[in-house]
Amino acid sequence: MTGETDRDDPNIVLFVMDTMRGVETVPADPELTPNLAALAESGTEYTDAFTTAPWTLPAHVSLFTGTYPSKHGAHAEHTKFDGELPTIVDAFADAGYETAGISNNVWIAEEFGLTGGFDTFREDGERTDAWSGAGSLGDRLTNAVRESGLGGTAFERLRRLLTGPTDDGAAATVEWVEDWLRGRDSDVPFFLFANCIEPHLEYRPPPAYAREFLPEGWSYDRAMTLRQDPREFDVGEFDYTDEEWSVVQALYAAEIRYLDEQLGRLRDALERAGEWDDTVFVAVSDHGENIGEHGFLGHQYSLYDTVLHVPLVINGGAFSATDTRSERLVQTADLAPTLLDVAGIDAPAVREASQALSFHPVRGDQPRSRVIAEYMQPRPPIEVLESKFDHVPQEIYDYQRSLRAVRTTDYKFVRGSDGSQWLYDLRADPGEKHDISTSSPRTTAGLAADLDRWLGSFDQTDATGSVTVSDATEDRLADLGYL
């Protein structure tokens, strides 16, 4: 049956749908995400899956190592995985798997230590299409705009105006995977990782998809005039009306719909290559997004469920079923031991270092009672904002703190390094709008103690210090709102 595998060493596909939050996508919606829903129908959907960190770099290192940011050390104070912990990529390679990866997100690159263990890896900067690459039309127009003397956001806005909407890589990613599958001359199983950055800010879906979701009276061209730089929003350089918020949310939904189609194309590619029946396919997001919720645009400064709750669907092997929906609490980091169990790989070094729990239906651990998330330090730091903008509001200074959260099915406790703390009753207040820490001191103290016990259960890394990156990487990070 399609989706099952009778091999002891199945292929593993880890498909990361960057910035796809659970609000719209859990459970998988046949209207918005028909391909994800189809995957869930013959697989297992985990409706209570949470990331370990609200942004790409630490979240992906957690995926690969089964550890949390305070242990693996890749976070805003040290934007590189130093490779001191073993990864599942290494484990699959050591077990004889062919390992391949492709990323549309600049954080998932050799510069940041994320490509170790891969036999083949294609980075974001290697994309080439009609608008990018040396000598291309987009390259020439970009150079012309730069030479005009414009800089910063003015430069970026004019560049986008000239070059038009561009695919941030999902379609090209699937094409690369198709070529890679056709070019394989091996019967050994493979571990394939792919990150597609849509629907990350800025939301610029292909016009045909946007028109399906835009409210009446809004053309695609008009929607594209809305400013979307999250750092400009943070410092108050612009705000949205209620109607404009609905437009931004529509653009985000269109990005999701577009990425879902690429998910379907990737499945088709595996089927055409004759690999689908021997593949365990994981569709997951690295983190979520705020689109007006809690006063934020993007995924900085908070640990609300809007940035922590993510979709997770697994199809194949022991996860094949008939529309199975699990409410088991899982962390994205739990995929590390789970996928090792899928392939029957011991990998004692990975397992010993891991802080995660396998949720394999047969070989897994007992269900966890709570999940943990960490936001080690804001990015960009306040000095960057001060150098970029004439005015930085006081609340941005208040956000210059680390955050940790512990979440059960009923409550979430969040604590800041500045001594602030919040408690939310998730059953009565799923939107996390009402802090009840003062009125519920016993629950607050209990979860605070739980967090302290967890922090005391392992040695935390002291990795700090700046990481040198290329000018091209800095430009790309600025495009994404990280600088």
Side-chain angles (χ1 to χ4, degrees), residues 119-194:
D119 298 320
T120 304
F121 199 94
R122 182 172 182 265
E123 295 183 12
D124 165 84
E126 298 172 25
R127 292 197 325 271
T128 56
D129 54 34
W131 295 104
S132 64
S136 69
L137 175 59
D139 187 52
R140 294 195 301 274
L141 286 171
T142 296
N143 288 336
V145 174
R146 182 177 287 113
E147 290 169 3
S148 72
L150 286 175
T153 56
F155 161 76
E156 175 61 18
R157 198 167 294 118
L158 183 53
R159 181 185 70 79
R160 290 188 183 276
L161 180 63
L162 288 171
T163 60
T166 58
D167 178 351
D168 249 327
T173 292
V174 176
E175 292 168 6
W176 183 89
V177 172
E178 289 173 335
D179 290 341
W180 178 77
L181 288 169
R182 282 194 296 265
R184 291 187 77 237
D185 185 20
S186 173
D187 291 329
V188 303
F190 58 80
F191 173 88
L192 173 65
F193 162 78

Side-chain angles (χ1 to χ4, degrees), residues 205-214 220 250 253-259 261-262:
Y209 293 84
R211 293 184 187 111
E212 292 183 28
F213 295 92
L214 287 173
Y220 182 82
E255 292 268 37
I256 291 174
R257 181 66 184 86
Y258 167 73
L259 183 52
E261 182 166 305
Q262 308 313 312

